[in-house]
Amino acid sequence: MIDRYIYAVTKKLPRKLKNEIGSELKVLIDDMMDGMDNALSEEEKVDKVLRELGNPQELASRYRGKERYLIGPNYFDKYLFVMKTVVLSIFIGISVAWGFGSIFSIESIAGMIGDYIGTLLSATLQGATWVTGIFALLEYNEISVETGMKQKAWDPSQLPELPDKKAIISRGESIFAIMIATIILTLFFFLPEIIGIYYKAGDGLNFIPLLNLEGLARFKVIIFLVFTTNILIELIKIIKGRWTMKIAIITTLLNVISATLSINVIYKIDIWNSEIVQKIEQYTPVSFERIILITTAAIIIITIGESVSALYKGIKYGGKK
Amino acid sequence: MENNIDDLVLNGLIQELRRGTIILAVLSQLKQPQYGYSLIVLMNEKGFDIEANTLYPLLRRLEKQGILESFWDTDGTKPRKYYRLSEYGEGVYLKLCAAWSDINRAVKHLIDEEE
């Protein structure tokens, strides 16, 4: 019993303290038992002593000196908020994507539902793990969510400025963007076969897949990166809640990375279904290369637009730094 | 029932009041080396109740802060860790004593004024 108690106290203490505290406790328990009324039996004594020492976990935390948290009180509110946002976006994103899928798919409904639940579970789990992991890391290193730096002694100058109304980042927009990203990501990852061009041919609906599934497989990692980068941008914006120079720079940087990666991918001829390339060239005056060029231009323009707007807001509302 | 809750609140407040004085009380008894259990017995005899699960971690913390120093005595049947005030600790103890009597005086003044 005594050994079990000591084990319970010391098992989560740092290794170098373990032995010393263990032997110290052993002697203490021994001494306490010696100091007791001899009329008591050995077992009664042990029982009494251990009760007096109390819950081993409490004793261990006293030895440790401070409470340990995976996600402590400083981070908990933010954590909860981000977690809700992420889980909700994943849920809606995947549901919508699968909704589309079920309209166009030839698979049986039952099979679709099974797949849907499976995807939903694994994606939610992934999301939750990432969020928890990131926050645990912040907690462990005591990095402030607000400043991104080690927490220092508080000083009035750290008080955030009252935000200009226009400086506040709309949560709704960010959540919407995350959902869109999740929907597209889900489509690319789990239902790439349904992306394509649908057109009327006689009575039925005819369909040409847009993507070459084998070619696509090799770029899944990059595609995943593009979308997770976008989701990350939106998450950072939500957490911060208002435009600052730092947010503007981070957003711009991630935007550029994401754009570069996507342009890289669309230029890989492998990922496109060769049939669709031919069809387009056959029925429209523009060549497929042209279309890719136009898409690239669109991505670049959008990226520049977003970055300029972010930087503008950052400079205007972010103050110095 | 109501009485119980009142007692609970009061007990909590008394515990809180005591907590701050524990360190001073412990340091006062460590001019001579003591091991944990002997210190508990000694203090209980003098009317200051302290529990092992408070004292042991506290001794360790004070040692880490350099206020106490320790040595192991392995001569007897049971190996024991003895603690006593370090040189630095003696200085700290004196300053704590001064702070304590200041607080005492001030609080006494406030209480007496009330009456």
Side-chain angles (χ1 to χ4, degrees):
Chain A
M1 198 62 117
I2 296 172
D3 288 337
R4 274 165 61 191
Y5 186 84
I6 291 172
Y7 173 73
V9 174
T10 56
K11 74 177 168 190
K12 281 177 199 145
L13 291 173
R15 191 171 302 162
K16 62 179 183 197
L17 297 180
K18 232 175 219 181
N19 289 331
E20 218 184 285
I21 290 176
S23 55
E24 193 178 70
L25 280 178
K26 206 169 193 140
V27 175
L28 169 70
I29 292 171
D30 220 43
D31 283 339
M32 285 171 86
M33 284 169 63
D34 284 349
M36 277 181 178
D37 190 353
N38 267 328
L40 294 169
S41 75
E42 196 77 359
E43 276 132 51
E44 284 170 316
K45 282 184 186 174
V46 173
D47 184 76
K48 231 176 144 184
V49 166
L50 296 190
R51 271 176 211 285
E52 209 178 309
L53 286 175
N55 187 336
Q57 275 165 19
E58 261 167 53
L59 186 54
S61 79
R62 283 189 198 174
Y63 268 117
R64 222 182 279 120
K66 68 169 186 183
E67 295 292 337
R68 293 193 312 168
Y69 296 102
L70 180 62
I71 288 149
N74 286 338
Y75 298 93
F76 192 69
D77 286 339
K78 285 251 155 74
Y79 169 71
L80 217 59
F81 175 71
V82 173
M83 186 62 110
K84 277 186 201 154
T85 311
V86 168
V87 170
L88 194 75
S89 314
I90 289 174
F91 177 74
I92 295 179
I94 289 182
S95 303
V96 171
W98 234 261
F100 278 130
S102 66
I103 297 172
F104 298 112
S105 174
I106 23 155
E107 252 187 274
S108 73
I109 292 292
M112 289 290 295
I113 289 175
D115 280 354
Y116 164 67
I117 292 173
T119 313
L120 195 61
L121 280 180
S122 74
T124 312
L125 213 61
Q126 276 254 351
T129 311
W130 276 104
V131 174
T132 309
I134 290 169
F135 271 86
L137 211 67
L138 291 178
E139 170 77 43
Y140 186 77
N141 295 308
E142 295 183 340
I143 293 170
S144 156
V145 178
E146 261 72 35
T147 59
M149 281 181 267
K150 279 260 179 200
Q151 273 165 354
K152 287 179 262 167
W154 186 80
D155 185 278
S157 68
Q158 289 169 11
L159 286 171
E161 277 167 53
L162 289 179
D164 196 310
K165 253 208 181 119
K166 287 181 209 145
I168 294 174
I169 296 171
S170 143
R171 280 181 179 177
E173 261 172 48
S174 292
I175 292 176
F176 184 70
I178 293 177
M179 278 180 216
I180 298 290
T182 318
I183 293 173
I184 300 177
L185 186 61
T186 314
L187 284 176
F188 267 91
F189 254 66
F190 299 105
L191 302 161
E193 65 273 11
I194 69 157
I195 305 174
I197 293 176
Y198 297 83
Y199 59 92
K200 255 211 173 116
D203 294 334
L205 206 58
N206 216 334
F207 167 69
I208 311 172
L210 179 66
L211 300 161
N212 171 16
L213 299 192
E214 282 141 39
L216 182 72
R218 293 198 285 124
F219 298 102
K220 276 200 166 169
V221 177
I222 299 181
I223 294 174
F224 184 73
L225 276 181
V226 169
F227 286 106
T228 39
T229 313
N230 278 311
I231 292 174
L232 194 67
I233 295 173
E234 298 305 329
L235 278 182
I236 293 174
K237 289 205 283 197
I238 289 180
I239 292 174
K240 190 74 186 184
R242 56 182 288 256
W243 285 104
T244 65
M245 203 53 212
K246 205 184 259 164
I247 288 288
I249 291 173
I250 293 173
T251 312
T252 307
L253 217 66
L254 292 179
N255 262 332
V256 171
I257 292 174
S258 150
T260 317
L261 289 177
S262 8
I263 291 170
N264 229 312
V265 170
I266 62 169
Y267 264 98
K268 301 281 191 276
I269 201 74
D270 280 4
I271 72 162
W272 306 110
N273 182 6
S274 52
E275 196 186 336
I276 209 164
V277 175
Q278 284 169 13
K279 278 267 161 67
I280 285 176
E281 304 211 321
Q282 200 177 325
Y283 290 110
T284 58
V286 280
S287 69
F288 192 70
E289 272 168 44
R290 247 282 152 60
I291 293 179
I292 290 192
L293 200 66
I294 293 168
T295 316
T296 307
I299 293 178
I300 291 176
I301 290 169
I302 291 172
T303 306
I304 291 177
E306 274 182 5
S307 304
V308 167
S309 129
L311 288 173
Y312 170 75
K313 285 174 182 158
I315 292 167
K316 184 154 182 209
Y317 306 116
K320 299 132 258 150
K321 245 201 317 194
Chain B
M1 196 62 206
E2 212 169 284
N3 236 335
N4 264 340
I5 291 171
D6 281 353
D7 279 356
L8 222 60
V9 171
L10 184 64
N11 269 334
L13 292 176
I14 292 175
Q15 284 297 324
E16 231 169 286
L17 198 56
R18 267 182 97 253
R19 204 174 298 147
T21 65
I22 290 176
I23 291 178
L24 186 59
V26 167
L27 293 185
S28 75
Q29 301 304 308
L30 283 175
K31 284 167 200 147
Q32 305 298 324
Q34 299 280 354
Y35 62 91
Y37 188 67
S38 69
L39 189 57
I40 294 174
V41 174
L42 183 71
M43 293 182 70
N44 284 355
E45 274 170 12
K46 294 186 179 179
F48 195 95
D49 279 341
I50 184 161
E51 283 179 5
N53 57 15
T54 312
L55 182 67
Y56 273 65
L58 177 65
L59 288 175
R60 220 158 239 291
R61 197 184 101 202
L62 292 171
E63 185 192 2
K64 211 172 163 192
Q65 290 171 331
I67 293 167
L68 300 180
E69 51 193 19
S70 71
F71 58 91
W72 280 90
D73 177 16
T74 47
D75 288 348
T77 44
K78 301 174 189 171
R80 292 206 156 99
K81 195 179 185 186
Y82 281 80
Y83 293 92
R84 69 162 165 248
L85 281 177
S86 67
E87 218 168 290
Y88 167 68
E90 279 173 30
V92 171
Y93 171 63
L94 290 179
K95 280 176 198 149
L96 275 181
C97 283
W100 169 247
S101 52
D102 283 351
I103 295 170
N104 231 332
R105 200 177 318 118
V107 173
K108 193 164 168 12
H109 187 66
L110 290 173
I111 294 173
D112 290 347
E113 202 177 49
E114 275 291 305
E115 278 172 3

